[in-house]
Structures are given as structure tokens and as C-alpha cells.
Amino acid sequence: MTFASLGLSSPILEAVAGQGYEKPSPIQLQAIPAVMAGKDVMAAAQTGTGKTAGFMLPILERLSRGERAHANQVRALIITPTRELAAQVAASAAIYGRKLSLRSTAVFGGVKINPQMMKLRRGVDVLVATPGRLLDLYNQNAVKFKQLEVLVLDEADRMLDMGFIHDIRKILALLPEQRQNLMFSATFSEQIRKLARALVHNPVEISVNPGNTTVESVDQWICPVDKKQKSALLTQLILDNNWQQVLVFTRTKHGANRLTRQLESSGIHAVAIHGNKGQNARTRALADFKSGSIRILVATDIAARGLDIDQLPHVVNFDLPHVPEDYVHRIGRTARAGATGQAVSLVSADEFKQLSDIERLITQSLTRKVIDGFEPTHIVPESRLDHHPIRPNRAKKSKVGHSDGQRSGENARGHKPSGKNKKHTSNRNRAGGKPGSNSPKKRQMPGENRRGDARVGQRKSHR
């Protein structure tokens, strides 16, 4: 089966061939015909299987035959959870639509909004956006949806995890009812299906992998180690095995910064990316990592979402994720497009529950390797594979100042709160109530006041 057999036009086929691809991946074989037929689609596939091209190619094909976007109008809207993923998807639109007279762009928080408004003024055929910035642009009358033909929710599971559900609902209320809806996700959790019921109509459901399984070509193993010895162990693993390109996951931004400093002090060139880093710094760090000038990229889950790195040989979980599905997303960044890779997790005794949840999710026990000199004082218990279903995590509610998908007026990326608000907050914190009040702070009851792949198929072999 070739891309030509899927009914794509010559300009798109030439662009695909120019990237060195000749055979569609399984997700593309199923998704492209369904999208071109105008059907709603729910598709589940792991990172690196070609999801982005699975919807981008047929969308470009459809848009190439219609009326161009008018001023401030959008014809295809693709919503993503993070800036990195938005930039990657927009790059895919530009690459595969370069022989078509279509306009595409990406909009996201963390950068100035005026240049984005200028690009939208002429009208955009393909708009890739994070939820918060999209709502911000809409509220400033910079974007309109009268011409909208296709809506895509990309990485829908991550958007729910990051608390964007309320923004997504606001966006859906702004869109015309007559449109094609596509939902792409790594998993089909119950929360995803609940969202889908309000979005897609008689969808074609596609799943190229069993739910929440890991790629077989990834060699997965864990190193039991005391928490205080993790950075030293990681340093030794990198040096002893001569690892040259490693993506390391930490649970927090501060942990990423601290680990980066420790690696640098050992002579290992490393850089951190996370929500507190400016967009330009994140883009530059990723480019340097891809080129090989940076050996270790330390990232949080949010910052790493959507990273597209060819032939990444090693992924290290410095901290195990609290959400077991995130383990699948993390290690899915290695062993792409038929390559092999290693996923190593440094596990301390207090992470046993996370380890057990991960093994239950992927239905396999991970091999343990204790490294000489790093035998843990606090033993990680032997796990028994529990086949009971994992209780689903409740989706987070939106927070003010979220680091990705934010609105330009919110308190992040240098948008400081006004002096009035700062004073109001300070008084409230001191008094425990209204500004100026000396009344004691009200006791909070439990639960009270809670906030609310551009990859296409397989490359041609070069012998």
C-alpha cells in the first residue's frame, strides 16, 4: 500500500516523497481514507506512529479544493495541549502543504500576541492553537470561525490531564455545528470517551495498538536505588555506557533544574526544558539536543509533550510519573519508526506504588538491575502483577497561570499581576479573609475551594 493509493493529490504526494517516506503507517492507512470521506474519527495510537500526518494529509487535501479563508477566518482548527506540539503540528502543515496555496500558522502563549494577530488578519486555512491563547485571540476579535470546516483535538488525553477541559468546552460552544470532528489520543480512557460523546458523531474508531501498551522494541528495565543516589547513578550510567543522547524525565521543574546543574558539574552537557523556560529557550534547547551539541535533555512531562526526535536511543525516568499512562507516553519517544531503544527508570522505595500501577497498566513486570555501588538501603519491594483495573484519575481543573496553552493576560511568562491585585492577595493572605479583615482564617473543609507526529510511515531504506 502506498500514499498514492489513498487518493492524495500530486502536490501532497510530492511533498511526502520529498521527506523520504513511501509507505503509510498503520494509523495513516486507516485514518486518511476515513478523514477524506468526511467522517468523524476517534483514533488511538502511541506517540511516534504518525498520528499527525494521519489527520494533516487528508485535511490539506480537503482544504486545497475549497474556498480560501477570508479575513480573520479559520478553515481547519487543530487544538494541542502544549506550545512544542503546536509548533510541530504547524511545521507539518507547512511541509506537506508547501506546494498548495494554503496559509497555516500556530498560536500559543509565552510569546507576544500581536504578531499572531497580524497573521490571522489575512485569514488562515490551518490554525494550530493551544486552548488559552485561542480564547484570548477570540476575545480580541482576532479569530473567527464562520468558515470552520474541520476541528481536531490532538493529544486529547493530555489536554484533560492538564486541566483544559473547561477551555475546550468554551471553544466548542463558539464553533459552527456543521463541521468534521477528529479526536486523536494515545489512550481511550473513560474520560476521553465522555468528552467524545459531546464532540464526535457516529465516529470511525481506530486503534492501532492495544490500549496503554508499550512498544515491543523498547528495552525496559529499572534500577532500584535510594533517592539521594539517583543523580550519581544517572551520571555513572551515562559515562560507563557512553550514552550520547538521553531524554531524562523529572516530576518537577525545580527537580529538572537541580539535576541539570548536577550533570553539568560532572562534565556532562545538559539543559532543562519546562514551563518556566521561555519559548525561545525551549526551542533552542530542543534544536541543540537534536543536533547533538547537547548530550542530555532534562524535561518535565508538560514541556516534553509533542517532542519529535528522530532515533532517540535512551529515555530515563529519573522520577516515576504519578499517572501511569504518562510512563507509556514518555518511553514512546524512543524506538520510533522501527528503531530500537532503551527506557531506564531509577526507582526508590517511596515510588513502589507508582511502579506497581505502571506494571499493572502495561501488564508486564519490569526487569530489575541493581548497579554495583548503588545497592539501595531502602529496598524496593518485589512487585506482584495486579490485574485489577486502575481507578481512573480525575481530570484536573484549570489553574490561573498555567504554563502551557495560557492566555496572554494570565500570570505567566512575565505577565505580572497588577499592583492592585498583588495588594489584595497580600492582605487576604495575612488576614485569612477579605482585605483588611482581622478575622481568623476559616477552616477549610475537605474538597472545599478546589480550582475547579508529523512522522509519516516508514523511511526509504538507504543501502
Side-chain angles (χ1 to χ4, degrees):
M1 185 71 73
T2 64
F3 285 103
S5 65
L6 299 178
L8 298 169
S9 60
S10 295
I12 294 178
L13 291 175
E14 290 178 21
V16 170
Q19 294 300 302
Y21 302 109
E22 58 179 4
K23 292 183 179 180
S25 67
I27 186 67
Q28 294 155 10
L29 282 174
Q30 298 181 62
I32 291 175
V35 176
M36 289 182 64
K39 298 179 181 179
D40 284 8
V41 170
M42 280 182 65
Q46 293 174 4
T47 303
T49 56
K51 285 185 295 181
T52 302
F55 62 75
M56 186 59 71
L57 297 181
I59 285 176
L60 292 174
E61 185 68 41
R62 171 176 177 162
L63 298 182
S64 67
R65 301 171 182 172
E67 184 180 2
R68 296 296 178 265
H70 300 166
N72 296 108
Q73 295 288 343
V74 174
R75 297 175 64 203
L77 173 62
I78 302 167
I79 303 177
T80 69
T82 67
R83 293 170 270 174
E84 279 77 17
L85 183 56
Q88 176 189 320
V89 174
S92 173
I95 290 170
Y96 298 114
R98 67 176 184 267
K99 294 182 178 293
L100 304 171
S101 56
L102 299 174
R103 290 190 290 268
S104 61
T105 192
V107 296
F108 42 77
V111 295
K112 293 182 179 179
I113 196 171
N114 286 341
Q116 298 176 351
M117 296 175 71
M118 295 296 292
K119 289 182 179 179
L120 290 167
R121 187 171 295 176
R122 297 174 57 206
V124 174
D125 297 288
V126 179
L127 177 64
V128 189
T130 51
R133 178 52 63 93
L134 180 64
L135 285 172
D136 199 16
L137 288 163
Y138 178 83
N139 291 332
Q140 298 189 46
N141 295 315
V143 62
K144 301 176 182 178
F145 303 113
K146 186 177 180 180
Q147 277 188 272
L148 188 73
E149 300 176 39
V150 185
L151 169 68
V152 181
L153 291 188
D154 193 15
E155 303 281 16
D157 52 335
R158 175 55 60 179
M159 278 191 273
L160 295 188
D161 290 343
M162 292 173 63
F164 289 143
I165 182 62
H166 300 295
D167 282 349
I168 295 298
R169 286 173 178 160
K170 289 178 183 177
I171 292 168
L172 295 179
L174 303 174
L175 307 181
E177 291 187 7
Q178 296 299 319
R179 65 177 189 269
Q180 185 178 15
N181 301 292
L182 313 176
M183 179 184 286
F184 283 72
S185 175
T187 61
F188 278 165
S189 66
E190 182 54 39
Q191 292 172 350
I192 290 293
R193 293 187 180 279
K194 183 178 180 180
L195 175 62
R197 285 193 285 271
L199 177 66
V200 296
H201 307 286
N202 299 318
V204 174
E205 189 168 316
I206 300 169
S207 182
V208 299
N209 289 307
N212 297 318
T213 58
T214 52
V215 179
E216 292 182 359
S217 54
V218 179
D219 179 19
Q220 304 172 64
W221 47 283
I222 68 173
C223 286
V225 61
D226 290 334
K227 180 173 291 187
K228 292 183 178 180
Q229 292 295 311
K230 281 190 176 185
S231 60
L233 173 56
L234 177 59
T235 299
Q236 181 161 317
L237 288 171
I238 293 170
L239 296 177
D240 287 355
N241 296 286
N242 196 28
W243 291 348
Q244 293 299 317
Q245 192 178 41
V246 188
L247 176 59
V248 181
F249 284 96
T250 63
R251 193 177 298 126
T252 67
K253 294 174 284 189
H254 298 300
N257 289 336
R258 183 169 56 250
L259 178 59
T260 300
R261 291 193 298 268
Q262 291 167 338
L263 291 171
E264 287 282 347
S265 67
S266 299
I268 300 173
H269 196 11
V271 69
I273 61 169
H274 50 66
N276 284 356
K277 297 282 188 178
Q279 184 58 40
N280 290 337
R282 292 162 73 165
T283 302
R284 184 170 58 252
L286 178 59
D288 290 343
F289 182 63
K290 287 183 175 182
S291 69
S293 60
I294 290 175
R295 191 171 178 181
I296 313 296
L297 186 65
V298 185
T300 56
D301 286 299
I302 291 175
R305 193 67 172 188
L307 294 184
D308 185 26
I309 305 168
D310 287 334
Q311 307 299 322
L312 177 62
H314 301 100
V315 169
V316 174
N317 293 300
F318 188 82
D319 301 310
L320 287 184
H322 282 303
V323 180
E325 288 84 0
D326 284 345
Y327 175 84
V328 178
H329 300 320
R330 289 179 177 187
I331 73 168
R333 308 194 181 282
T334 186
R336 292 185 173 196
T340 58
Q342 288 191 56
V344 184
S345 299
L346 311 186
V347 183
S348 55
D350 63 341
E351 294 176 303
F352 177 68
K353 184 183 183 301
Q354 291 99 298
L355 175 62
S356 298
D357 288 345
I358 289 168
E359 291 180 328
R360 192 190 328 171
L361 181 73
I362 65 177
T363 65
Q364 69 180 94
S365 296
L366 297 174
T367 302
R368 299 180 178 218
K369 298 181 182 179
V370 177
I371 306 301
D372 291 342
F374 292 93
E375 296 83 357
T377 302
H378 304 285
I379 302 300
V380 180
E382 289 294 332
S383 54
R384 295 181 179 178
L385 203 57
D386 185 351
H387 294 285
H388 289 88
I390 299 173
R391 180 179 288 180
N393 291 286
R394 296 176 63 183
K396 297 178 183 177
K397 294 187 178 181
S398 300
K399 295 180 182 178
V400 174
H402 205 293
S403 58
D404 286 288
Q406 68 189 25
R407 302 176 193 174
S408 62
E410 292 181 345
N411 180 24
R413 302 281 77 77
H415 300 288
K416 298 180 179 178
S418 66
K420 180 179 178 181
N421 289 341
K422 202 181 298 184
K423 182 178 180 182
H424 181 95
T425 302
S426 177
N427 288 339
R428 183 179 297 276
N429 289 340
R430 288 197 299 269
K434 296 180 180 179
S437 169
N438 291 321
S439 60
K441 187 174 181 179
K442 179 183 176 183
R443 183 180 179 184
Q444 182 173 322
M445 299 300 289
E448 181 181 351
N449 194 30
R450 290 182 181 169
R451 295 299 307 252
D453 305 27
R455 184 168 315 286
V456 185
Q458 305 163 359
R459 291 189 182 274
K460 294 177 181 178
S461 60
H462 298 283
R463 299 182 181 276

